[in-house]
Amino acid sequence: MRAGYFLIVLALLVFSACDGGDGSADAGTDGDSDTDGDSDTDSDSDSDSDSDTDSDSDSDSDGDPGCPPLDPPTGNIIDVTPSQVGDLQGIVAGASTGDTILLADGTYDLNGAYLWFDTPGVTLRSQSQNPDAVIIDGNYSTTEIVTVAASDVTIAEVTLQRAFTHPIHVTSSDLGDTANTLIYRINIIDPREQAIKINPHSTTAGFFAEDGEIACSSIILTDTGRPNVNTSASDGCYTGGVDAHQARGWLIRDNHIEGFWCPTGTAEHAVHMWRGCRDTIVERNVLINNTRGVGFGLSNSGTARLYSDDPCPEAGGAYIGHYDGVVRNNVIFADRTELFDSAAGFDCGVCLWSACGARAVHNTVASTGANFSSMEWRFAGSTSVEITNNIATHDLQERDGASATQTGNLEDALLTLFEDIGNWDLHLQSSATDAIDMGVAVEDGLCDYDMDGDPRDDQPDVGADEFTGS
């Protein structure tokens, strides 16, 4: 059933307006520097009382849950119109648990104001349920448009554009974890830095941003926005899609993330989970023309979150950038000449660096031009991963002695396997005999469905699509 996939991608498009590519970048090995001033320096001594030794990152969602509008709001509703934009910061600050701030259609020019959510259980959403119709504009004068520093906050069905730093920042507080953030059916356009930042507030409090969900959203850096990227920090291209530090249990699904690259410098990944993140699920995302696709971990040294249950004893105390987690049913594709010609190029599709127990299963990574690797795993001692049933048009690479179990993958695949790459349709053609029925069976619950929510059969196809003949 391809219709579900196309409805999601079409809706997302309507919403919106590893090493360097030359293979030489050991620049990533010390990539823990983060200079945006939002308390990203990390605690190295998490006592974490949760002794759950069984990662629940392998649990499969029930096929394709889709991207329907949210249910009508309940509880106290605070209606806001664009004429009240000057009061919006105060309205958010004064909201109580259970309140829904309902934005009427129009553009909200913040003029340097920001929306800080430090009360749990508050929702910000559009009245019309149309993300295109409610635009919250930072105009590169508002730093973080939305900061979430309390649990059970929902941000949904709006457009956030032109933040000076991060359109959304999810962080813990000195009082406790920030849990169960829902970011749903939103557009993010042209962030100057990372579109969604997730990290601890304090280096000493021991509280984190946990168990959130980013779903059914469009996150895009356009050609208009690219010249505004922060070039003064990191590698001269300090931007990216979702960037999380020390976070556990996040689900990132059914998003369209596009355009995170710079003419010079190396952008961060479309989805990057590192510095001791754990149990992340990244599934059914469409990642188009980004320097890097999905990253678990980055360097092999630095500060990272530790866990009292020692989820990677085989590493013997080595630095771990990401524990467990699954990358599945994603389409990662590059076809833009300007990206290939940029300083970093199309670097890697799935990058697993200092990633212990990560699994990359049934992904499609394709490119019409050169890239450094379709998938790679890096750093001995700290990286042991599973690479299963993936389609890759370029190399799968082991680096620096990292360990991987590889089964059922199709490497150096031809672009002719896919329906219509010109329109980013990477479903399998009926003639794709190199992929159809050529995968290996995996255990129940790991990847029971494909990128459209279609069930996989006993002889699964390789890649994100299970060919159904329709």
Side-chain angles (χ1 to χ4, degrees):
M1 182 180 65
R2 300 178 184 179
Y5 171 80
F6 283 120
L7 286 173
I8 290 170
V9 174
L10 178 60
L12 293 172
L13 290 172
V14 169
F15 286 176
S16 73
C18 349
D19 274 321
D22 62 0
S24 63
D26 282 333
T29 61
D30 60 352
D32 278 340
S33 60
D34 192 336
T35 58
D36 63 357
D38 53 8
S39 301
D40 286 350
T41 52
D42 303 310
S43 167
D44 204 28
S45 58
D46 173 30
S47 60
D48 192 14
S49 60
D50 182 355
S51 60
D52 179 11
T53 58
D54 179 18
S55 164
D56 41 4
S57 62
D58 288 356
S59 59
D60 202 71
S61 61
D62 55 347
D64 178 6
C67 295
L70 290 180
D71 292 335
T74 58
N76 185 47
I77 296 173
I78 303 170
D79 290 308
V80 180
T81 67
S83 66
Q84 298 171 274
V85 65
D87 300 321
L88 185 56
Q89 181 174 331
I91 290 169
V92 169
S96 299
T97 297
D99 285 355
T100 295
I101 300 168
L102 209 57
L103 302 181
D105 289 356
T107 297
Y108 296 74
D109 292 315
L110 293 181
N111 293 318
Y114 54 87
L115 310 180
W116 187 286
F117 291 80
D118 58 5
T119 298
V122 175
T123 295
L124 178 76
R125 57 185 289 191
S126 62
Q127 185 180 71
S128 64
Q129 300 179 309
N130 178 4
D132 292 330
V134 174
I135 299 170
I136 304 175
D137 193 350
N139 198 26
Y140 299 121
S141 62
T142 295
T143 52
E144 297 170 357
I145 294 177
V146 170
T147 302
V148 178
S151 294
D152 302 304
V153 169
T154 294
I155 310 297
E157 300 173 335
V158 298
T159 292
L160 308 176
Q161 66 183 29
R162 300 192 296 178
F164 187 77
T165 57
H166 315 300
I168 298 180
H169 181 197
V170 183
T171 185
S172 58
S173 72
D174 290 335
L175 301 178
D177 293 341
T178 293
N180 306 317
T181 303
L182 176 61
I183 300 168
Y184 185 71
R185 294 187 74 232
I186 67 166
N187 303 325
I188 295 179
I189 302 172
D190 291 340
R192 186 170 175 268
E193 297 184 355
Q194 291 86 3
I196 300 175
K197 187 80 166 185
I198 305 163
N199 66 351
H201 166 67
S202 169
T203 62
T204 58
F207 299 126
F208 303 94
E210 309 283 68
D211 300 317
E213 180 175 353
I214 302 167
C216 302
S217 295
S218 170
I219 303 172
I220 295 181
L221 179 62
T222 70
D223 289 347
T224 300
R226 192 167 293 108
N228 296 296
V229 164
N230 183 358
T231 59
S232 64
S234 187
D235 192 24
C237 183
Y238 188 62
T239 190
V242 178
D243 178 48
H245 301 207
Q246 301 186 322
R248 184 175 183 181
W250 279 75
L251 171 62
I252 302 170
R253 68 168 181 91
D254 299 302
N255 302 289
H256 179 102
I257 305 178
E258 180 185 346
F260 286 93
W261 61 273
C262 296
T264 60
T266 305
E268 286 199 58
H269 311 61
V271 178
H272 192 198
M273 315 295 289
W274 57 309
R275 286 183 170 167
C277 286
R278 181 174 176 181
D279 298 342
T280 310
I281 297 177
V282 180
E283 65 180 359
R284 294 191 307 271
N285 300 283
V286 178
L287 311 179
I288 302 292
N289 287 323
N290 303 289
T291 293
R292 293 168 171 168
V294 179
F296 281 4
L298 184 65
S299 68
N300 63 344
S301 63
T303 54
R305 180 176 176 180
L306 303 176
Y307 297 86
S308 60
D309 60 341
D310 191 15
C312 187
E314 61 268 34
Y319 174 94
I320 302 297
H322 195 286
Y323 298 90
D324 299 323
V326 178
V327 181
R328 64 188 176 205
N329 290 331
N330 299 284
V331 170
I332 303 168
F333 182 60
D335 67 352
R336 187 164 180 184
T337 300
E338 294 90 341
L339 169 61
F340 300 134
D341 291 343
S342 67
F346 177 31
D347 186 20
C348 64
V350 178
C351 328
L352 306 173
W353 294 16
S354 297
C356 180
R359 313 178 85 175
V361 184
H362 281 292
N363 300 284
T364 295
V365 183
S367 172
T368 62
N371 67 328
F372 183 71
S373 64
S374 290
M375 292 188 176
E376 63 177 61
W377 47 103
R378 187 177 188 186
F379 299 129
S382 58
T383 298
S384 55
V385 299
E386 175 188 332
I387 311 293
T388 301
N389 291 346
N390 301 283
I391 289 179
T393 58
H394 293 74
D395 292 344
L396 307 179
Q397 290 201 40
E398 172 192 316
R399 301 183 59 202
D400 300 324
S403 174
T405 301
Q406 303 178 64
T407 52
N409 300 296
L410 176 57
E411 193 173 0
D412 298 320
L414 299 177
L415 291 170
T416 53
L417 270 61
F418 306 115
E419 282 280 5
D420 184 359
I421 60 169
N423 288 303
W424 301 341
D425 179 0
L426 273 71
H427 288 91
L428 296 173
Q429 296 206 60
S430 59
S431 59
T433 55
D434 288 347
I436 295 172
D437 293 339
M438 299 302 290
V440 299
V442 299
E443 71 267 27
D444 291 345
L446 175 58
C447 199
D448 296 341
Y449 302 89
D450 78 348
M451 65 185 186
D452 302 315
D454 293 331
R456 296 193 181 275
D457 58 32
D458 293 338
Q459 290 186 293
D461 301 342
V462 182
D465 178 36
E466 183 76 8
F467 180 75
T468 63
S470 60

